[in-house]
Amino acid sequence: MTAYDEAMRLALDEARAAVDSDDVPIGAVVLDLHGDVVGRGRNAREATGDPTAHAEIVALRSAAAVVGDGWRLTGCTLVVTLEPCTMCAGALVLARVARLVYGPDDPKAGAAGSLWDVVRDPRLNHRPEVVGGVLADESSALLREFFAARRAEPLR
């Protein structure tokens, strides 16, 4: 058990809700300095037709509206059910998120150490702390079930 299990469970709840709109089940929450949830997000690309509607981006936008420091999320923690892609890793760096917590690595698109390491690139002016592997088995199982169900469906 880690200090972030409870927050990851909230992110997993968001991920499960994404399936209702036929989106890949990835969820995210943003915690403030006190550990309170100030933003939530789930994949919504299919639901909105927006290619940038990844769970992390949705959660960061939600948190920015609540925190009230413009676009800066200084001191906040982003908790997401899968290692972020390059777009999302770049966004959390630009938002000045203090800490990234994620579930399983994403060897196909991960940008927090698996394929690329955007979040720890020494050339950037901000590098968040990174904690990976939190409730990774639960996240991985959810993704496997989603894609297995899609492969079992007849072609449309």
Side-chain angles (χ1 to χ4, degrees), residues 35-53:
D36 296 324
V37 176
V38 293
R40 294 174 184 267
R42 65 182 69 119
N43 271 2
R45 293 185 308 171
E46 298 297 330
T48 64
D50 178 355
T52 68

Side-chain angles (χ1 to χ4, degrees), residues 8 12 25 80-82 103-104 134-144:
M8 185 61 77
L12 283 163
V80 61
T81 59
L82 183 67
V134 177
L135 299 182
D137 291 341
E138 287 91 333
S139 274
S140 294
L142 185 59
L143 288 164
R144 275 193 308 278

